[in-house]
Structure formats: C-alpha cells, structure tokens
PDB file of all heavy atoms in Angstrom:
ATOM      1  N   PHE A 295      17.424  76.150  34.239  1.00 92.00           N
ATOM      2  CA  PHE A 295      16.776  76.721  33.054  1.00 92.00           C
ATOM      3  C   PHE A 295      16.145  75.630  32.209  1.00 92.00           C
ATOM      4  O   PHE A 295      14.984  75.743  31.787  1.00 92.00           O
ATOM      5  CB  PHE A 295      17.814  77.497  32.228  1.00 92.00           C
ATOM      6  CG  PHE A 295      17.322  77.930  30.872  1.00 92.00           C
ATOM      7  CD1 PHE A 295      16.513  79.040  30.732  1.00 92.00           C
ATOM      8  CD2 PHE A 295      17.675  77.214  29.736  1.00 92.00           C
ATOM      9  CE1 PHE A 295      16.055  79.448  29.485  1.00 92.00           C
ATOM     10  CE2 PHE A 295      17.226  77.599  28.483  1.00 92.00           C
ATOM     11  CZ  PHE A 295      16.410  78.729  28.357  1.00 92.00           C
ATOM     12  N   LEU A 296      16.893  74.554  31.966  1.00 90.00           N
ATOM     13  CA  LEU A 296      16.386  73.452  31.157  1.00 90.00           C
ATOM     14  C   LEU A 296      15.147  72.835  31.795  1.00 90.00           C
ATOM     15  O   LEU A 296      14.129  72.606  31.122  1.00 90.00           O
ATOM     16  CB  LEU A 296      17.474  72.397  30.989  1.00 90.00           C
ATOM     17  CG  LEU A 296      17.078  71.111  30.253  1.00 90.00           C
ATOM     18  CD1 LEU A 296      16.691  71.421  28.814  1.00 90.00           C
ATOM     19  CD2 LEU A 296      18.217  70.094  30.296  1.00 90.00           C
ATOM     20  N   MET A 297      15.201  72.582  33.088  1.00 90.00           N
ATOM     21  CA  MET A 297      14.068  71.956  33.769  1.00 90.00           C
ATOM     22  C   MET A 297      12.851  72.873  33.790  1.00 90.00           C
ATOM     23  O   MET A 297      11.711  72.417  33.656  1.00 90.00           O
ATOM     24  CB  MET A 297      14.469  71.558  35.188  1.00 90.00           C
ATOM     25  CG  MET A 297      15.552  70.499  35.250  1.00 90.00           C
ATOM     26  SD  MET A 297      15.029  68.895  34.583  1.00 90.00           S
ATOM     27  CE  MET A 297      14.150  68.225  35.980  1.00 90.00           C
ATOM     28  N   ASN A 298      13.076  74.176  33.951  1.00 92.00           N
ATOM     29  CA  ASN A 298      11.964  75.126  33.936  1.00 92.00           C
ATOM     30  C   ASN A 298      11.289  75.170  32.568  1.00 92.00           C
ATOM     31  O   ASN A 298      10.065  75.236  32.474  1.00 92.00           O
ATOM     32  CB  ASN A 298      12.457  76.527  34.316  1.00 92.00           C
ATOM     33  CG  ASN A 298      12.595  76.707  35.808  1.00 92.00           C
ATOM     34  OD1 ASN A 298      11.804  76.189  36.585  1.00 92.00           O
ATOM     35  ND2 ASN A 298      13.604  77.446  36.230  1.00 92.00           N
ATOM     36  N   VAL A 299      12.098  75.143  31.512  1.00 92.00           N
ATOM     37  CA  VAL A 299      11.536  75.174  30.161  1.00 92.00           C
ATOM     38  C   VAL A 299      10.749  73.892  29.886  1.00 92.00           C
ATOM     39  O   VAL A 299       9.633  73.943  29.342  1.00 92.00           O
ATOM     40  CB  VAL A 299      12.648  75.374  29.110  1.00 92.00           C
ATOM     41  CG1 VAL A 299      12.100  75.159  27.699  1.00 92.00           C
ATOM     42  CG2 VAL A 299      13.243  76.775  29.231  1.00 92.00           C
ATOM     43  N   ILE A 300      11.306  72.757  30.258  1.00 90.00           N
ATOM     44  CA  ILE A 300      10.613  71.487  30.025  1.00 90.00           C
ATOM     45  C   ILE A 300       9.303  71.436  30.798  1.00 90.00           C
ATOM     46  O   ILE A 300       8.243  71.089  30.260  1.00 90.00           O
ATOM     47  CB  ILE A 300      11.518  70.297  30.415  1.00 90.00           C
ATOM     48  CG1 ILE A 300      12.715  70.212  29.466  1.00 90.00           C
ATOM     49  CG2 ILE A 300      10.725  68.990  30.380  1.00 90.00           C
ATOM     50  CD1 ILE A 300      13.748  69.196  29.884  1.00 90.00           C
ATOM     51  N   SER A 301       9.361  71.798  32.073  1.00 92.00           N
ATOM     52  CA  SER A 301       8.163  71.764  32.906  1.00 92.00           C
ATOM     53  C   SER A 301       7.118  72.766  32.426  1.00 92.00           C
ATOM     54  O   SER A 301       5.938  72.428  32.267  1.00 92.00           O
ATOM     55  CB  SER A 301       8.542  72.068  34.363  1.00 92.00           C
ATOM     56  OG  SER A 301       7.385  72.138  35.176  1.00 92.00           O
ATOM     57  N   GLY A 302       7.550  74.003  32.176  1.00 92.00           N
ATOM     58  CA  GLY A 302       6.615  75.041  31.748  1.00 92.00           C
ATOM     59  C   GLY A 302       5.972  74.737  30.409  1.00 92.00           C
ATOM     60  O   GLY A 302       4.762  74.899  30.234  1.00 92.00           O
ATOM     61  N   CYS A 303       6.782  74.269  29.460  1.00 91.00           N
ATOM     62  CA  CYS A 303       6.246  73.971  28.129  1.00 91.00           C
ATOM     63  C   CYS A 303       5.309  72.767  28.156  1.00 91.00           C
ATOM     64  O   CYS A 303       4.274  72.776  27.482  1.00 91.00           O
ATOM     65  CB  CYS A 303       7.387  73.731  27.145  1.00 91.00           C
ATOM     66  SG  CYS A 303       8.262  75.225  26.671  1.00 91.00           S
ATOM     67  N   SER A 304       5.676  71.739  28.899  1.00 91.00           N
ATOM     68  CA  SER A 304       4.819  70.553  28.932  1.00 91.00           C
ATOM     69  C   SER A 304       3.456  70.878  29.515  1.00 91.00           C
ATOM     70  O   SER A 304       2.444  70.297  29.110  1.00 91.00           O
ATOM     71  CB  SER A 304       5.496  69.430  29.721  1.00 91.00           C
ATOM     72  OG  SER A 304       5.725  69.817  31.059  1.00 91.00           O
ATOM     73  N   PHE A 305       3.396  71.835  30.441  1.00 95.00           N
ATOM     74  CA  PHE A 305       2.106  72.216  31.016  1.00 95.00           C
ATOM     75  C   PHE A 305       1.408  73.282  30.175  1.00 95.00           C
ATOM     76  O   PHE A 305       0.309  73.068  29.642  1.00 95.00           O
ATOM     77  CB  PHE A 305       2.276  72.724  32.452  1.00 95.00           C
ATOM     78  CG  PHE A 305       0.965  72.950  33.148  1.00 95.00           C
ATOM     79  CD1 PHE A 305       0.334  71.913  33.809  1.00 95.00           C
ATOM     80  CD2 PHE A 305       0.343  74.200  33.126  1.00 95.00           C
ATOM     81  CE1 PHE A 305      -0.888  72.103  34.445  1.00 95.00           C
ATOM     82  CE2 PHE A 305      -0.873  74.404  33.752  1.00 95.00           C
ATOM     83  CZ  PHE A 305      -1.496  73.357  34.408  1.00 95.00           C
ATOM     84  N   ALA A 306       2.031  74.442  30.032  1.00 95.00           N
ATOM     85  CA  ALA A 306       1.363  75.583  29.390  1.00 95.00           C
ATOM     86  C   ALA A 306       1.099  75.343  27.909  1.00 95.00           C
ATOM     87  O   ALA A 306       0.018  75.645  27.405  1.00 95.00           O
ATOM     88  CB  ALA A 306       2.197  76.852  29.590  1.00 95.00           C
ATOM     89  N   CYS A 307       2.079  74.802  27.187  1.00 93.00           N
ATOM     90  CA  CYS A 307       1.914  74.600  25.748  1.00 93.00           C
ATOM     91  C   CYS A 307       0.882  73.511  25.455  1.00 93.00           C
ATOM     92  O   CYS A 307       0.101  73.626  24.509  1.00 93.00           O
ATOM     93  CB  CYS A 307       3.251  74.263  25.094  1.00 93.00           C
ATOM     94  SG  CYS A 307       4.440  75.615  25.135  1.00 93.00           S
ATOM     95  N   THR A 308       0.890  72.458  26.264  1.00 92.00           N
ATOM     96  CA  THR A 308      -0.101  71.393  26.071  1.00 92.00           C
ATOM     97  C   THR A 308      -1.510  71.915  26.296  1.00 92.00           C
ATOM     98  O   THR A 308      -2.419  71.700  25.484  1.00 92.00           O
ATOM     99  CB  THR A 308       0.181  70.228  27.023  1.00 92.00           C
ATOM    100  OG1 THR A 308       1.477  69.693  26.761  1.00 92.00           O
ATOM    101  CG2 THR A 308      -0.858  69.129  26.850  1.00 92.00           C
ATOM    102  N   ALA A 309      -1.712  72.615  27.417  1.00 95.00           N
ATOM    103  CA  ALA A 309      -3.033  73.163  27.720  1.00 95.00           C
ATOM    104  C   ALA A 309      -3.479  74.154  26.647  1.00 95.00           C
ATOM    105  O   ALA A 309      -4.630  74.131  26.200  1.00 95.00           O
ATOM    106  CB  ALA A 309      -3.013  73.834  29.092  1.00 95.00           C
ATOM    107  N   ALA A 310      -2.560  75.029  26.217  1.00 94.00           N
ATOM    108  CA  ALA A 310      -2.903  76.032  25.216  1.00 94.00           C
ATOM    109  C   ALA A 310      -3.220  75.400  23.861  1.00 94.00           C
ATOM    110  O   ALA A 310      -4.128  75.845  23.148  1.00 94.00           O
ATOM    111  CB  ALA A 310      -1.764  77.039  25.075  1.00 94.00           C
ATOM    112  N   PHE A 311      -2.461  74.382  23.498  1.00 92.00           N
ATOM    113  CA  PHE A 311      -2.689  73.710  22.214  1.00 92.00           C
ATOM    114  C   PHE A 311      -4.080  73.079  22.161  1.00 92.00           C
ATOM    115  O   PHE A 311      -4.822  73.242  21.185  1.00 92.00           O
ATOM    116  CB  PHE A 311      -1.618  72.645  21.986  1.00 92.00           C
ATOM    117  CG  PHE A 311      -1.837  71.804  20.761  1.00 92.00           C
ATOM    118  CD1 PHE A 311      -1.549  72.303  19.504  1.00 92.00           C
ATOM    119  CD2 PHE A 311      -2.352  70.517  20.871  1.00 92.00           C
ATOM    120  CE1 PHE A 311      -1.768  71.527  18.367  1.00 92.00           C
ATOM    121  CE2 PHE A 311      -2.561  69.737  19.750  1.00 92.00           C
ATOM    122  CZ  PHE A 311      -2.282  70.248  18.489  1.00 92.00           C
ATOM    123  N   LEU A 312      -4.443  72.355  23.211  1.00 92.00           N
ATOM    124  CA  LEU A 312      -5.746  71.692  23.219  1.00 92.00           C
ATOM    125  C   LEU A 312      -6.884  72.701  23.345  1.00 92.00           C
ATOM    126  O   LEU A 312      -7.941  72.535  22.736  1.00 92.00           O
ATOM    127  CB  LEU A 312      -5.802  70.674  24.369  1.00 92.00           C
ATOM    128  CG  LEU A 312      -4.850  69.489  24.216  1.00 92.00           C
ATOM    129  CD1 LEU A 312      -4.876  68.611  25.461  1.00 92.00           C
ATOM    130  CD2 LEU A 312      -5.203  68.674  22.976  1.00 92.00           C
ATOM    131  N   TYR A 313      -6.671  73.765  24.100  1.00 94.00           N
ATOM    132  CA  TYR A 313      -7.709  74.790  24.221  1.00 94.00           C
ATOM    133  C   TYR A 313      -7.893  75.542  22.906  1.00 94.00           C
ATOM    134  O   TYR A 313      -9.015  75.916  22.551  1.00 94.00           O
ATOM    135  CB  TYR A 313      -7.343  75.772  25.329  1.00 94.00           C
ATOM    136  CG  TYR A 313      -8.367  76.861  25.530  1.00 94.00           C
ATOM    137  CD1 TYR A 313      -9.641  76.567  26.008  1.00 94.00           C
ATOM    138  CD2 TYR A 313      -8.068  78.190  25.239  1.00 94.00           C
ATOM    139  CE1 TYR A 313     -10.594  77.564  26.191  1.00 94.00           C
ATOM    140  CE2 TYR A 313      -9.006  79.189  25.428  1.00 94.00           C
ATOM    141  CZ  TYR A 313     -10.267  78.870  25.897  1.00 94.00           C
ATOM    142  OH  TYR A 313     -11.208  79.853  26.065  1.00 94.00           O
ATOM    143  N   LYS A 314      -6.810  75.737  22.158  1.00 91.00           N
ATOM    144  CA  LYS A 314      -6.909  76.415  20.867  1.00 91.00           C
ATOM    145  C   LYS A 314      -7.765  75.615  19.893  1.00 91.00           C
ATOM    146  O   LYS A 314      -8.489  76.189  19.072  1.00 91.00           O
ATOM    147  CB  LYS A 314      -5.505  76.630  20.279  1.00 91.00           C
ATOM    148  CG  LYS A 314      -5.496  77.406  18.968  1.00 91.00           C
ATOM    149  CD  LYS A 314      -4.077  77.622  18.472  1.00 91.00           C
ATOM    150  CE  LYS A 314      -4.065  78.413  17.170  1.00 91.00           C
ATOM    151  NZ  LYS A 314      -2.670  78.618  16.676  1.00 91.00           N
ATOM    152  N   ARG A 315      -7.711  74.306  19.980  1.00 90.00           N
ATOM    153  CA  ARG A 315      -8.495  73.447  19.094  1.00 90.00           C
ATOM    154  C   ARG A 315      -9.970  73.422  19.484  1.00 90.00           C
ATOM    155  O   ARG A 315     -10.825  73.132  18.638  1.00 90.00           O
ATOM    156  CB  ARG A 315      -7.926  72.025  19.105  1.00 90.00           C
ATOM    157  CG  ARG A 315      -6.513  71.928  18.550  1.00 90.00           C
ATOM    158  CD  ARG A 315      -5.974  70.516  18.662  1.00 90.00           C
ATOM    159  NE  ARG A 315      -6.749  69.587  17.868  1.00 90.00           N
ATOM    160  CZ  ARG A 315      -6.510  69.319  16.583  1.00 90.00           C
ATOM    161  NH1 ARG A 315      -5.516  69.951  15.951  1.00 90.00           N
ATOM    162  NH2 ARG A 315      -7.236  68.445  15.935  1.00 90.00           N
ATOM    163  N   ARG A 316     -10.257  73.720  20.756  1.00 89.00           N
ATOM    164  CA  ARG A 316     -11.646  73.709  21.216  1.00 89.00           C
ATOM    165  C   ARG A 316     -11.812  74.787  22.277  1.00 89.00           C
ATOM    166  O   ARG A 316     -11.643  74.547  23.468  1.00 89.00           O
ATOM    167  CB  ARG A 316     -12.000  72.337  21.790  1.00 89.00           C
ATOM    168  CG  ARG A 316     -13.465  72.174  22.154  1.00 89.00           C
ATOM    169  CD  ARG A 316     -13.762  70.744  22.554  1.00 89.00           C
ATOM    170  NE  ARG A 316     -15.170  70.553  22.860  1.00 89.00           N
ATOM    171  CZ  ARG A 316     -15.713  69.386  23.204  1.00 89.00           C
ATOM    172  NH1 ARG A 316     -14.942  68.313  23.274  1.00 89.00           N
ATOM    173  NH2 ARG A 316     -16.996  69.289  23.476  1.00 89.00           N
ATOM    174  N   ARG A 317     -12.106  75.993  21.822  1.00 90.00           N
ATOM    175  CA  ARG A 317     -12.166  77.145  22.722  1.00 90.00           C
ATOM    176  C   ARG A 317     -13.505  77.162  23.464  1.00 90.00           C
ATOM    177  O   ARG A 317     -14.441  77.874  23.100  1.00 90.00           O
ATOM    178  CB  ARG A 317     -11.950  78.436  21.955  1.00 90.00           C
ATOM    179  CG  ARG A 317     -10.589  78.521  21.268  1.00 90.00           C
ATOM    180  CD  ARG A 317     -10.350  79.891  20.667  1.00 90.00           C
ATOM    181  NE  ARG A 317     -10.158  80.891  21.711  1.00 90.00           N
ATOM    182  CZ  ARG A 317      -9.000  81.160  22.298  1.00 90.00           C
ATOM    183  NH1 ARG A 317      -7.912  80.469  21.959  1.00 90.00           N
ATOM    184  NH2 ARG A 317      -8.899  82.092  23.211  1.00 90.00           N
ATOM    185  N   SER A 318     -13.563  76.355  24.485  1.00 90.00           N
ATOM    186  CA  SER A 318     -14.768  76.243  25.299  1.00 90.00           C
ATOM    187  C   SER A 318     -14.351  75.803  26.689  1.00 90.00           C
ATOM    188  O   SER A 318     -13.179  75.499  26.938  1.00 90.00           O
ATOM    189  CB  SER A 318     -15.743  75.224  24.699  1.00 90.00           C
ATOM    190  OG  SER A 318     -15.178  73.917  24.722  1.00 90.00           O
ATOM    191  N   LEU A 319     -15.316  75.776  27.595  1.00 88.00           N
ATOM    192  CA  LEU A 319     -15.024  75.302  28.945  1.00 88.00           C
ATOM    193  C   LEU A 319     -14.516  73.869  28.919  1.00 88.00           C
ATOM    194  O   LEU A 319     -13.548  73.518  29.603  1.00 88.00           O
ATOM    195  CB  LEU A 319     -16.278  75.406  29.806  1.00 88.00           C
ATOM    196  CG  LEU A 319     -16.155  74.885  31.236  1.00 88.00           C
ATOM    197  CD1 LEU A 319     -15.115  75.652  32.016  1.00 88.00           C
ATOM    198  CD2 LEU A 319     -17.510  74.942  31.938  1.00 88.00           C
ATOM    199  N   THR A 320     -15.157  73.037  28.095  1.00 90.00           N
ATOM    200  CA  THR A 320     -14.719  71.644  27.986  1.00 90.00           C
ATOM    201  C   THR A 320     -13.294  71.564  27.461  1.00 90.00           C
ATOM    202  O   THR A 320     -12.478  70.777  27.957  1.00 90.00           O
ATOM    203  CB  THR A 320     -15.661  70.873  27.046  1.00 90.00           C
ATOM    204  OG1 THR A 320     -16.986  70.919  27.570  1.00 90.00           O
ATOM    205  CG2 THR A 320     -15.214  69.425  26.908  1.00 90.00           C
ATOM    206  N   GLY A 321     -12.992  72.393  26.459  1.00 91.00           N
ATOM    207  CA  GLY A 321     -11.637  72.404  25.914  1.00 91.00           C
ATOM    208  C   GLY A 321     -10.604  72.826  26.946  1.00 91.00           C
ATOM    209  O   GLY A 321      -9.501  72.274  27.001  1.00 91.00           O
ATOM    210  N   ALA A 322     -10.965  73.803  27.782  1.00 93.00           N
ATOM    211  CA  ALA A 322     -10.049  74.248  28.830  1.00 93.00           C
ATOM    212  C   ALA A 322      -9.801  73.139  29.847  1.00 93.00           C
ATOM    213  O   ALA A 322      -8.659  72.899  30.260  1.00 93.00           O
ATOM    214  CB  ALA A 322     -10.614  75.490  29.523  1.00 93.00           C
ATOM    215  N   VAL A 323     -10.868  72.453  30.234  1.00 91.00           N
ATOM    216  CA  VAL A 323     -10.739  71.367  31.211  1.00 91.00           C
ATOM    217  C   VAL A 323      -9.887  70.237  30.642  1.00 91.00           C
ATOM    218  O   VAL A 323      -8.983  69.719  31.310  1.00 91.00           O
ATOM    219  CB  VAL A 323     -12.126  70.842  31.624  1.00 91.00           C
ATOM    220  CG1 VAL A 323     -11.996  69.599  32.495  1.00 91.00           C
ATOM    221  CG2 VAL A 323     -12.904  71.920  32.362  1.00 91.00           C
ATOM    222  N   ILE A 324     -10.176  69.855  29.404  1.00 92.00           N
ATOM    223  CA  ILE A 324      -9.405  68.778  28.767  1.00 92.00           C
ATOM    224  C   ILE A 324      -7.940  69.182  28.654  1.00 92.00           C
ATOM    225  O   ILE A 324      -7.036  68.387  28.946  1.00 92.00           O
ATOM    226  CB  ILE A 324      -9.986  68.446  27.383  1.00 92.00           C
ATOM    227  CG1 ILE A 324     -11.368  67.798  27.528  1.00 92.00           C
ATOM    228  CG2 ILE A 324      -9.044  67.519  26.611  1.00 92.00           C
ATOM    229  CD1 ILE A 324     -12.084  67.579  26.207  1.00 92.00           C
ATOM    230  N   GLY A 325      -7.695  70.414  28.224  1.00 93.00           N
ATOM    231  CA  GLY A 325      -6.327  70.884  28.073  1.00 93.00           C
ATOM    232  C   GLY A 325      -5.558  70.886  29.380  1.00 93.00           C
ATOM    233  O   GLY A 325      -4.414  70.425  29.452  1.00 93.00           O
ATOM    234  N   LEU A 326      -6.187  71.385  30.436  1.00 95.00           N
ATOM    235  CA  LEU A 326      -5.513  71.451  31.731  1.00 95.00           C
ATOM    236  C   LEU A 326      -5.301  70.063  32.336  1.00 95.00           C
ATOM    237  O   LEU A 326      -4.254  69.791  32.931  1.00 95.00           O
ATOM    238  CB  LEU A 326      -6.320  72.329  32.691  1.00 95.00           C
ATOM    239  CG  LEU A 326      -6.306  73.829  32.366  1.00 95.00           C
ATOM    240  CD1 LEU A 326      -7.334  74.568  33.208  1.00 95.00           C
ATOM    241  CD2 LEU A 326      -4.913  74.416  32.591  1.00 95.00           C
ATOM    242  N   ALA A 327      -6.297  69.189  32.188  1.00 92.00           N
ATOM    243  CA  ALA A 327      -6.150  67.830  32.712  1.00 92.00           C
ATOM    244  C   ALA A 327      -5.037  67.085  31.982  1.00 92.00           C
ATOM    245  O   ALA A 327      -4.211  66.400  32.614  1.00 92.00           O
ATOM    246  CB  ALA A 327      -7.473  67.085  32.579  1.00 92.00           C
ATOM    247  N   ALA A 328      -5.001  67.212  30.660  1.00 92.00           N
ATOM    248  CA  ALA A 328      -3.953  66.560  29.877  1.00 92.00           C
ATOM    249  C   ALA A 328      -2.582  67.129  30.237  1.00 92.00           C
ATOM    250  O   ALA A 328      -1.592  66.387  30.368  1.00 92.00           O
ATOM    251  CB  ALA A 328      -4.226  66.717  28.387  1.00 92.00           C
ATOM    252  N   ALA A 329      -2.516  68.447  30.398  1.00 93.00           N
ATOM    253  CA  ALA A 329      -1.256  69.090  30.760  1.00 93.00           C
ATOM    254  C   ALA A 329      -0.781  68.629  32.134  1.00 93.00           C
ATOM    255  O   ALA A 329       0.414  68.385  32.351  1.00 93.00           O
ATOM    256  CB  ALA A 329      -1.426  70.604  30.746  1.00 93.00           C
ATOM    257  N   TRP A 330      -1.725  68.494  33.056  1.00 93.00           N
ATOM    258  CA  TRP A 330      -1.415  68.023  34.410  1.00 93.00           C
ATOM    259  C   TRP A 330      -0.766  66.642  34.365  1.00 93.00           C
ATOM    260  O   TRP A 330       0.309  66.418  34.942  1.00 93.00           O
ATOM    261  CB  TRP A 330      -2.716  68.004  35.207  1.00 93.00           C
ATOM    262  CG  TRP A 330      -2.604  67.670  36.665  1.00 93.00           C
ATOM    263  CD1 TRP A 330      -1.455  67.403  37.365  1.00 93.00           C
ATOM    264  CD2 TRP A 330      -3.684  67.578  37.597  1.00 93.00           C
ATOM    265  NE1 TRP A 330      -1.754  67.157  38.683  1.00 93.00           N
ATOM    266  CE2 TRP A 330      -3.111  67.253  38.860  1.00 93.00           C
ATOM    267  CE3 TRP A 330      -5.059  67.731  37.506  1.00 93.00           C
ATOM    268  CZ2 TRP A 330      -3.888  67.080  39.995  1.00 93.00           C
ATOM    269  CZ3 TRP A 330      -5.827  67.560  38.652  1.00 93.00           C
ATOM    270  CH2 TRP A 330      -5.255  67.250  39.871  1.00 93.00           C
TER     271      TRP A 330
END
C-alpha cells in the first residue's frame, strides 16, 4: 500500500500539478516528462 501510494502520487500528482499550471499540450508533455 505504501509503495503504491508513493509511486502513484509521485507520477499522477506531479503530472496533474504541472498540467494545472499550464493547461496545454506543452503543459501535459512537461508534466508527464517530469513525473516520469
């Protein structure tokens, strides 16, 4: 459970946070790359 939460949050929350700041294709790419 702990590892799933850490892994999921580090990816999904990071990508979502950066995409929320720049809701565009570029923002999505930056968010996903940073999350990766």
Side-chain angles (χ1 to χ4, degrees):
F295 170 79
L296 175 63
M297 296 295 278
N298 279 324
V299 170
I300 293 172
S301 176
C303 287
S304 61
F305 188 87
C307 294
T308 300
F311 174 77
L312 294 174
Y313 180 67
K314 183 178 181 180
R315 296 177 63 88
R316 186 173 182 178
R317 299 187 70 86
S318 65
L319 177 61
T320 300
V323 173
I324 292 173
L326 289 169
W330 185 1

